[in-house]
């Protein structure tokens, strides 16, 4: 994403991006709709039955414990018709399959970025008016598509960013939703990476520097007490992992 935006800005095009936030995304997957989508991805036969058996005919109830009398209050067993088991390994994969056809609902000149429930779109246009029109139209298309698959958008945490560079003239581009402007940010966190609308990565560097400094202090402190092999393991797990995270996005 970062490299794509930089190349587009260098070509003197305007770039805007919308970062969508979904309410209780994993709990909102409609089982019937999801199972009907599986053949579209070539999942049929026993593979389809296996996923279907993982989701359907599950039940849950709530149990309250009374710490004074040791009595328990149980609700009725209710059949689960939506969502995937929380904390499961399959959860993110099933959700991606559930929303994987999002690109079919938006314009071809829009670049969607889908990572589990972190969904965003990037649009590039030569002029501000065209950019705003495409952003507004795409936003409404995505919003309607979410409604059709029973997902609810959290407007208060859905943000718009207008990426800028010295090669592109500044303009006031906004997205209107229900007579209000969509929250516009110049600095935000996306997939654990701090980015700003100029892609200078200043905020990203400021975020990880204290963490790296703390690791350096720990390594200096513990160095006389451990072997070089253990020190390398500490480096790769605590220091290297921080500077490597998201490198294809912001460093590439």
């Amino acid at each position: 994403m970062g490299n794509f935006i930089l190349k587009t800005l260098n070509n003197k095009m305007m770039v805007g991006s919308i970062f969508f936030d979904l309410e209780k995304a994993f709990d909102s997957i409609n089982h019937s709709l999801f199972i009907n989508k599986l053949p579209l991805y070539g999942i049929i036969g026993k593979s389809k039955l296996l996923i279907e058996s993982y989701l359907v005919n599950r039940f849950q109830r709530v149990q309250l414990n009374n710490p004074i009398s040791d009595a328990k209050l149980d609700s009725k067993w209710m059949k689960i018709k939506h969502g995937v088991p929380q904390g499961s390994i399959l959860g993110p994969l099933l959700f991606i399959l559930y929303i994987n056809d999002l690109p079919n609902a938006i314009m071809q000149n829009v670049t969607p970025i889908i990572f589990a429930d972190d969904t965003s779109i990037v649009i590039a246009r030569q002029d501000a008016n065209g950019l705003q029109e495409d952003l507004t139209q795409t936003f409404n298309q995505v919003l309607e598509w979410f409604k059709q698959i029973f997902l609810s958008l959290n407007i208060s945490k859905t943000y718009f960013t207008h990426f800028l560079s010295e090669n592109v003239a500044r303009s006031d581009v906004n997205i209107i939703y229900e007579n209000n402007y969509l929250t516009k940010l110049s600095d935000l966190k996306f997939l654990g990476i701090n980015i700003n609308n100029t892609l200078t990565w200043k905020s990203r560097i400021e975020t990880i520097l204290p963490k790296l400094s703390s690791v350096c202090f720990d390594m200096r402190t513990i160095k006389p007490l451990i072997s070089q092999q253990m020190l390398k393991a500490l480096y790769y797990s605590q220091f290297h992992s921080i500077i490597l995270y998201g490198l294809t996005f912001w460093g590439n």
Side-chain angles (χ1 to χ4, degrees):
M1 180 181 181
N3 200 35
F4 167 76
I5 294 173
L6 282 173
K7 287 182 178 179
T8 307
L9 290 174
N10 289 334
N11 291 330
K12 297 184 179 181
M13 294 184 69
M14 293 186 172
V15 181
S17 183
I18 303 175
F19 300 85
F20 297 93
D21 184 81
L22 296 169
E23 294 180 341
K24 299 180 179 180
F26 283 56
D27 294 329
S28 302
I29 294 179
N30 183 281
H31 292 171
S32 298
L33 179 60
F34 174 69
I35 292 170
N36 290 333
K37 280 188 174 188
L38 293 178
L40 301 176
Y41 306 127
I43 302 175
I44 56 177
K46 292 184 178 180
S47 298
K48 179 175 177 291
L49 290 175
L50 181 63
I51 296 178
E52 187 174 350
S53 67
Y54 180 74
L55 294 176
V56 301
N57 293 324
R58 285 180 175 266
F59 294 80
Q60 69 179 11
R61 68 174 179 176
V62 177
Q63 185 178 84
L64 300 176
N65 296 325
N66 190 326
I68 299 177
S69 62
D70 292 332
K72 295 182 179 180
L73 180 63
D74 299 330
S75 67
K76 294 182 180 180
W77 285 102
M78 301 293 292
K79 191 173 183 178
I80 303 174
K81 299 181 180 179
H82 298 81
V84 293
Q86 292 295 309
S88 63
I89 296 176
L90 279 178
L93 175 61
L94 296 180
F95 187 82
I96 290 174
L97 287 174
Y98 190 64
I99 66 170
N100 195 57
D101 54 336
L102 169 62
N104 298 331
I106 57 180
M107 297 181 294
Q108 292 185 350
N109 66 323
V110 178
T111 303
I113 299 169
I114 303 174
F115 187 87
D117 58 335
D118 288 303
T119 303
S120 60
I121 56 101
V122 180
I123 298 178
R125 285 293 298 268
Q126 292 283 0
D127 60 290
N129 291 334
L131 179 62
Q132 180 157 324
E133 290 176 3
D134 283 0
L135 283 167
T136 302
Q137 182 177 348
T138 304
F139 175 77
N140 291 325
Q141 289 174 340
V142 174
L143 190 62
E144 180 60 30
W145 185 80
F146 281 149
K147 291 179 181 178
Q148 291 177 3
I149 63 171
F150 307 103
L151 295 179
S152 179
L153 187 64
N154 187 349
I155 293 295
S156 63
K157 294 184 179 180
T158 296
Y159 306 122
F160 160 61
T161 297
H162 184 196
F163 290 98
L164 304 169
S165 74
E166 296 179 354
N167 298 327
V168 180
R170 295 176 180 265
S171 60
D172 190 22
V173 177
N174 292 287
I175 301 173
I176 300 176
Y177 173 73
E178 294 184 348
N179 297 323
N180 292 309
Y181 288 123
L182 197 66
T183 303
K184 188 176 182 179
L185 296 180
S186 58
D187 197 309
L188 72 155
K189 196 171 187 178
F190 179 64
L191 297 178
I193 300 175
N194 300 80
I195 61 176
N196 54 35
N197 64 338
T198 57
L199 295 184
T200 59
W201 308 115
K202 180 179 179 181
S203 57
R204 172 66 181 168
I205 295 170
E206 291 176 348
T207 300
I208 66 174
L209 275 179
K211 299 178 182 179
L212 297 176
S213 178
S214 177
V215 175
C216 287
F217 174 80
D218 293 340
M219 291 181 65
R220 285 196 302 268
T221 303
I222 203 172
K223 181 179 179 181
L225 307 176
I226 61 176
S227 65
Q228 187 177 16
Q229 184 177 1
M230 292 182 64
L231 194 62
K232 284 183 178 180
L234 178 64
Y235 162 79
Y236 280 109
S237 64
Q238 301 296 321
F239 190 98
H240 194 74
S241 59
I242 294 177
I243 60 175
L244 194 65
Y245 178 77
L247 188 62
T248 54
F249 180 92
W250 69 273
N252 204 21

